[in-house]
Amino acid sequence: MRTVRTLATAALAGAALLGLAAPGATADSPTPTADPSASAGPTEAGTTFRTAARFLPGQQASAQAATGDYLYWVFPADTGQRPTVRATVTLPDADLRHGSATWRIDVYDGLRRRQPCMYGTQSRTAAKEAATVELACVLRPVRASADAWSNDPLPGSYYVRLTVTSLPDDDLGQPFDARIGVSTVDKGGAYATDGGLAAPLVPGATTADQAEADADAGRSSAVEAAAPEDGWSSGWWSDRWLWTAAGGVLAALAGVGGYVLTRGAGRPSRVPPAA
């Protein structure tokens, strides 16, 4: 009976530890917006990487432009996050258009490397009668570090470019409206890597000496200015720590349970000598 109670206690302890680790591994829902007012993003877009309009995940950025323009926005993505970019283009009145048009979004990291989409409709052709066109791009999870030759996404700034790639020449210059939003999913330790970057990939980031000088002068550095709402995590924490600790405790409990089950099996029982 004592052995059964010991094993039951070990099982309950293991289940509790795994329950603590589970939320980080199963959190697969977009990051919620803190409040309705926080959803308001910039109402204009840049026309180059340098002038890209900054917004945060959970916000909605909007812009009005002429068909044929390149529109740029930038948002931060941190270690363990998997961003999903969504764009909605409100097209000019159908009576003013002369044919179908193909729209496209592209996403670039802080090194201006184009990032492929895991899935989603990155490019779509809108018929002449269509009122809107919707685009989406689900990026790969952001890693804390990667090999220099790889194209893996790393923490830092991510640029979204929206433009029309094919349309009748007569439709160039017609006005349109665009809305951009980004949601993130925390993938946790499933994509964790050893090591991390010295600093997130943020264009215009200052050197260590300049960052120290900015801190002494009370100025924010480029990395701080581009940080997410909760700051950069630097990749030091993931729920892999919880799974590792839970595995170690379960292994110890299994050893104790095995000892309890086999204790005394290899030794003859002591029989008191006859009187």
Side-chain angles (χ1 to χ4, degrees), residues 29-126:
S29 57
T31 302
T33 302
D35 56 75
S37 61
S39 62
T43 56
E44 59 183 15
T47 55
T48 65
F49 284 101
R50 283 182 164 281
T51 61
R54 182 178 180 272
F55 70 102
L56 296 174
Q59 293 182 332
Q60 286 287 320
S62 60
Q64 294 180 337
T67 305
D69 289 344
Y70 285 84
L71 302 184
Y72 290 83
W73 294 269
V74 60
F75 67 92
D78 207 354
T79 301
Q81 295 180 345
R82 188 186 68 189
T84 298
V85 181
R86 301 184 185 277
T88 301
V89 180
T90 303
L91 302 172
D93 191 278
D95 294 337
L96 302 177
R97 306 205 306 268
H98 298 81
S100 60
T102 302
W103 292 80
R104 180 182 178 91
I105 56 172
D106 292 290
V107 183
Y108 300 83
D109 66 8
L111 298 178
R112 298 186 184 177
R113 303 176 301 180
R114 193 177 72 84
Q115 292 294 317
C117 302
M118 291 178 61
Y119 44 85
T121 307
Q122 185 179 5
S123 178
R124 174 170 286 174
T125 298

Side-chain angles (χ1 to χ4, degrees), residues 10 15 68 133 162 168 185-187 206 213 238-239 243 253:
V133 58
L162 170 70
V185 171
D186 187 4
K187 303 304 292 183
T206 56
S238 75
D239 59 8
W243 286 102
L253 293 174

Side-chain angles (χ1 to χ4, degrees), residues 28 34 61-62 86 92-93 95 109 121 129 152 160 173 178 184 242 246 269:
D28 201 26
S62 60
R86 301 184 185 277
D93 191 278
D95 294 337
D109 66 8
T121 307
E129 298 78 15
D152 290 339
V160 182
T184 58
L242 294 177
S269 60

